mmCIF file of all heavy atoms in Angstrom:
data_model
loop_
_atom_site.group_PDB
_atom_site.id
_atom_site.type_symbol
_atom_site.label_atom_id
_atom_site.label_comp_id
_atom_site.label_asym_id
_atom_site.label_seq_id
_atom_site.Cartn_x
_atom_site.Cartn_y
_atom_site.Cartn_z
ATOM 1 N N ASP A 255 101.262 106.898 -5.073
ATOM 2 C CA ASP A 255 100.678 108.208 -5.351
ATOM 3 C C ASP A 255 101.615 108.980 -6.277
ATOM 4 O O ASP A 255 102.706 109.390 -5.869
ATOM 5 C CB ASP A 255 100.464 108.968 -4.035
ATOM 6 C CG ASP A 255 99.618 110.223 -4.205
ATOM 7 O OD1 ASP A 255 99.624 110.806 -5.303
ATOM 8 O OD2 ASP A 255 98.947 110.618 -3.229
ATOM 9 N N HIS A 256 101.191 109.196 -7.525
ATOM 10 C CA HIS A 256 102.016 109.912 -8.493
ATOM 11 C C HIS A 256 101.690 111.399 -8.548
ATOM 12 O O HIS A 256 102.300 112.134 -9.319
ATOM 13 C CB HIS A 256 101.842 109.296 -9.883
ATOM 14 C CG HIS A 256 102.292 107.885 -9.979
ATOM 15 N ND1 HIS A 256 103.592 107.497 -9.761
ATOM 16 C CD2 HIS A 256 101.605 106.727 -10.234
ATOM 17 C CE1 HIS A 256 103.703 106.185 -9.907
ATOM 18 N NE2 HIS A 256 102.505 105.697 -10.172
ATOM 19 N N PHE A 257 100.746 111.829 -7.736
ATOM 20 C CA PHE A 257 100.378 113.248 -7.709
ATOM 21 C C PHE A 257 100.991 113.941 -6.494
ATOM 22 O O PHE A 257 101.710 114.929 -6.628
ATOM 23 C CB PHE A 257 98.856 113.400 -7.717
ATOM 24 C CG PHE A 257 98.411 114.830 -7.784
ATOM 25 C CD1 PHE A 257 98.696 115.614 -8.887
ATOM 26 C CD2 PHE A 257 97.700 115.404 -6.742
ATOM 27 C CE1 PHE A 257 98.298 116.942 -8.953
ATOM 28 C CE2 PHE A 257 97.295 116.735 -6.786
ATOM 29 C CZ PHE A 257 97.598 117.503 -7.903
ATOM 30 N N VAL A 258 100.713 113.404 -5.302
ATOM 31 C CA VAL A 258 101.337 113.904 -4.075
ATOM 32 C C VAL A 258 102.256 112.786 -3.557
ATOM 33 O O VAL A 258 101.762 111.799 -3.022
ATOM 34 C CB VAL A 258 100.285 114.263 -3.000
ATOM 35 C CG1 VAL A 258 100.983 114.753 -1.731
ATOM 36 C CG2 VAL A 258 99.314 115.311 -3.518
ATOM 37 N N PRO A 259 103.552 112.922 -3.721
ATOM 38 C CA PRO A 259 104.456 111.844 -3.314
ATOM 39 C C PRO A 259 104.278 111.447 -1.857
ATOM 40 O O PRO A 259 104.103 112.300 -0.981
ATOM 41 C CB PRO A 259 105.847 112.448 -3.551
ATOM 42 C CG PRO A 259 105.633 113.498 -4.588
ATOM 43 C CD PRO A 259 104.274 114.056 -4.325
ATOM 44 N N CYS A 260 104.323 110.145 -1.620
ATOM 45 C CA CYS A 260 104.146 109.620 -0.265
ATOM 46 C C CYS A 260 105.176 110.196 0.706
ATOM 47 O O CYS A 260 104.913 110.353 1.896
ATOM 48 C CB CYS A 260 104.243 108.087 -0.322
ATOM 49 S SG CYS A 260 103.773 107.261 1.197
ATOM 50 N N GLY A 261 106.358 110.537 0.187
ATOM 51 C CA GLY A 261 107.409 111.099 1.037
ATOM 52 C C GLY A 261 107.019 112.400 1.703
ATOM 53 O O GLY A 261 107.578 112.758 2.749
ATOM 54 N N MET A 262 106.059 113.126 1.132
ATOM 55 C CA MET A 262 105.614 114.370 1.760
ATOM 56 C C MET A 262 104.975 114.095 3.117
ATOM 57 O O MET A 262 105.122 114.882 4.057
ATOM 58 C CB MET A 262 104.650 115.122 0.842
ATOM 59 C CG MET A 262 105.308 115.722 -0.387
ATOM 60 S SD MET A 262 104.189 116.876 -1.248
ATOM 61 C CE MET A 262 105.226 117.352 -2.645
ATOM 62 N N SER A 263 104.255 112.972 3.221
ATOM 63 C CA SER A 263 103.653 112.617 4.511
ATOM 64 C C SER A 263 104.722 112.257 5.533
ATOM 65 O O SER A 263 104.564 112.522 6.732
ATOM 66 C CB SER A 263 102.671 111.457 4.338
ATOM 67 O OG SER A 263 101.423 111.927 3.862
ATOM 68 N N SER A 264 105.808 111.661 5.068
ATOM 69 C CA SER A 264 106.915 111.335 5.976
ATOM 70 C C SER A 264 107.525 112.605 6.552
ATOM 71 O O SER A 264 107.841 112.676 7.750
ATOM 72 C CB SER A 264 107.980 110.517 5.240
ATOM 73 O OG SER A 264 107.457 109.298 4.788
ATOM 74 N N VAL A 265 107.697 113.616 5.708
ATOM 75 C CA VAL A 265 108.234 114.906 6.171
ATOM 76 C C VAL A 265 107.300 115.511 7.217
ATOM 77 O O VAL A 265 107.752 115.990 8.274
ATOM 78 C CB VAL A 265 108.391 115.877 4.977
ATOM 79 C CG1 VAL A 265 108.721 117.290 5.466
ATOM 80 C CG2 VAL A 265 109.468 115.375 4.028
ATOM 81 N N ILE A 266 106.009 115.476 6.950
ATOM 82 C CA ILE A 266 105.030 116.033 7.892
ATOM 83 C C ILE A 266 105.079 115.284 9.217
ATOM 84 O O ILE A 266 105.116 115.890 10.297
ATOM 85 C CB ILE A 266 103.612 115.965 7.291
ATOM 86 C CG1 ILE A 266 103.495 116.895 6.081
ATOM 87 C CG2 ILE A 266 102.557 116.338 8.338
ATOM 88 C CD1 ILE A 266 102.242 116.690 5.255
ATOM 89 N N ALA A 267 105.094 113.948 9.144
ATOM 90 C CA ALA A 267 105.093 113.131 10.363
ATOM 91 C C ALA A 267 106.315 113.415 11.236
ATOM 92 O O ALA A 267 106.216 113.469 12.471
ATOM 93 C CB ALA A 267 105.027 111.653 10.000
ATOM 94 N N LYS A 268 107.461 113.622 10.609
ATOM 95 C CA LYS A 268 108.686 113.900 11.371
ATOM 96 C C LYS A 268 108.611 115.231 12.100
ATOM 97 O O LYS A 268 109.294 115.441 13.105
ATOM 98 C CB LYS A 268 109.896 113.881 10.430
ATOM 99 C CG LYS A 268 110.280 112.495 9.953
ATOM 100 C CD LYS A 268 111.424 112.559 8.953
ATOM 101 C CE LYS A 268 111.742 111.160 8.414
ATOM 102 N NZ LYS A 268 112.787 111.203 7.354
ATOM 103 N N ASN A 269 107.787 116.157 11.579
ATOM 104 C CA ASN A 269 107.666 117.486 12.189
ATOM 105 C C ASN A 269 106.621 117.567 13.288
ATOM 106 O O ASN A 269 106.524 118.587 13.977
ATOM 107 C CB ASN A 269 107.318 118.518 11.119
ATOM 108 C CG ASN A 269 108.503 118.908 10.263
ATOM 109 O OD1 ASN A 269 109.620 118.478 10.495
ATOM 110 N ND2 ASN A 269 108.271 119.722 9.253
ATOM 111 N N CYS A 270 105.807 116.524 13.467
ATOM 112 C CA CYS A 270 104.660 116.598 14.372
ATOM 113 C C CYS A 270 105.071 116.762 15.831
ATOM 114 O O CYS A 270 105.889 115.989 16.348
ATOM 115 C CB CYS A 270 103.791 115.350 14.236
ATOM 116 S SG CYS A 270 102.622 115.437 12.882
ATOM 117 N N ALA A 271 104.468 117.744 16.477
ATOM 118 C CA ALA A 271 104.702 117.933 17.914
ATOM 119 C C ALA A 271 103.779 117.049 18.736
ATOM 120 O O ALA A 271 104.097 116.691 19.872
ATOM 121 C CB ALA A 271 104.483 119.395 18.284
ATOM 122 N N SER A 272 102.623 116.701 18.193
ATOM 123 C CA SER A 272 101.657 115.849 18.892
ATOM 124 C C SER A 272 101.870 114.395 18.474
ATOM 125 O O SER A 272 102.586 114.116 17.510
ATOM 126 C CB SER A 272 100.233 116.303 18.556
ATOM 127 O OG SER A 272 99.997 116.187 17.167
ATOM 128 N N PRO A 273 101.247 113.445 19.179
ATOM 129 C CA PRO A 273 101.370 112.034 18.782
ATOM 130 C C PRO A 273 100.901 111.837 17.348
ATOM 131 O O PRO A 273 99.836 112.321 16.958
ATOM 132 C CB PRO A 273 100.447 111.311 19.767
ATOM 133 C CG PRO A 273 100.379 112.219 20.958
ATOM 134 C CD PRO A 273 100.448 113.610 20.408
ATOM 135 N N VAL A 274 101.700 111.139 16.543
ATOM 136 C CA VAL A 274 101.371 110.961 15.131
ATOM 137 C C VAL A 274 101.531 109.497 14.737
ATOM 138 O O VAL A 274 102.412 108.799 15.238
ATOM 139 C CB VAL A 274 102.263 111.852 14.233
ATOM 140 C CG1 VAL A 274 103.735 111.497 14.387
ATOM 141 C CG2 VAL A 274 101.830 111.766 12.778
ATOM 142 N N GLN A 275 100.656 109.060 13.859
ATOM 143 C CA GLN A 275 100.687 107.703 13.319
ATOM 144 C C GLN A 275 100.638 107.814 11.801
ATOM 145 O O GLN A 275 99.686 108.345 11.247
ATOM 146 C CB GLN A 275 99.490 106.900 13.839
ATOM 147 C CG GLN A 275 99.394 105.476 13.315
ATOM 148 C CD GLN A 275 98.148 104.756 13.845
ATOM 149 O OE1 GLN A 275 97.438 105.286 14.721
ATOM 150 N NE2 GLN A 275 97.876 103.583 13.320
ATOM 151 N N LEU A 276 101.675 107.342 11.121
ATOM 152 C CA LEU A 276 101.724 107.373 9.660
ATOM 153 C C LEU A 276 101.523 105.965 9.122
ATOM 154 O O LEU A 276 102.260 105.045 9.483
ATOM 155 C CB LEU A 276 103.075 107.923 9.180
ATOM 156 C CG LEU A 276 103.353 107.832 7.673
ATOM 157 C CD1 LEU A 276 102.314 108.602 6.871
ATOM 158 C CD2 LEU A 276 104.762 108.346 7.349
ATOM 159 N N GLU A 277 100.518 105.800 8.279
ATOM 160 C CA GLU A 277 100.207 104.498 7.683
ATOM 161 C C GLU A 277 100.189 104.645 6.164
ATOM 162 O O GLU A 277 99.483 105.491 5.623
ATOM 163 C CB GLU A 277 98.835 103.997 8.161
ATOM 164 C CG GLU A 277 98.730 103.779 9.658
ATOM 165 C CD GLU A 277 99.488 102.547 10.140
ATOM 166 O OE1 GLU A 277 99.845 101.699 9.287
ATOM 167 O OE2 GLU A 277 99.719 102.441 11.353
ATOM 168 N N THR A 278 100.995 103.824 5.485
ATOM 169 C CA THR A 278 101.030 103.865 4.031
ATOM 170 C C THR A 278 100.410 102.600 3.441
ATOM 171 O O THR A 278 100.437 101.536 4.065
ATOM 172 C CB THR A 278 102.470 104.026 3.517
ATOM 173 O OG1 THR A 278 103.258 102.888 3.904
ATOM 174 C CG2 THR A 278 103.105 105.296 4.067
ATOM 175 N N PHE A 279 99.864 102.737 2.246
ATOM 176 C CA PHE A 279 99.155 101.642 1.585
ATOM 177 C C PHE A 279 99.868 101.277 0.282
ATOM 178 O O PHE A 279 99.872 102.065 -0.660
ATOM 179 C CB PHE A 279 97.707 102.048 1.295
ATOM 180 C CG PHE A 279 96.791 101.965 2.476
ATOM 181 C CD1 PHE A 279 96.963 102.804 3.572
ATOM 182 C CD2 PHE A 279 95.752 101.046 2.517
ATOM 183 C CE1 PHE A 279 96.128 102.735 4.675
ATOM 184 C CE2 PHE A 279 94.905 100.965 3.610
ATOM 185 C CZ PHE A 279 95.097 101.804 4.697
ATOM 186 N N PRO A 280 100.478 100.095 0.218
ATOM 187 C CA PRO A 280 101.130 99.659 -1.017
ATOM 188 C C PRO A 280 100.135 99.642 -2.180
ATOM 189 O O PRO A 280 98.971 99.273 -2.011
ATOM 190 C CB PRO A 280 101.612 98.240 -0.683
ATOM 191 C CG PRO A 280 101.710 98.209 0.813
ATOM 192 C CD PRO A 280 100.610 99.105 1.305
ATOM 193 N N ASN A 281 100.608 100.083 -3.335
ATOM 194 C CA ASN A 281 99.833 100.057 -4.585
ATOM 195 C C ASN A 281 98.693 101.077 -4.645
ATOM 196 O O ASN A 281 98.030 101.181 -5.672
ATOM 197 C CB ASN A 281 99.257 98.660 -4.868
ATOM 198 C CG ASN A 281 100.337 97.597 -4.908
ATOM 199 O OD1 ASN A 281 101.391 97.811 -5.504
ATOM 200 N ND2 ASN A 281 100.091 96.468 -4.255
#
Side-chain angles (χ1 to χ4, degrees):
D255 191 332
H256 297 298
F257 184 64
V258 179
C260 190
M262 290 192 182
S263 279
S264 298
V265 170
I266 293 168
K268 288 176 184 176
N269 283 356
C270 276
S272 61
V274 61
Q275 178 182 352
L276 172 60
E277 298 287 344
T278 63
F279 281 66
N281 304 316

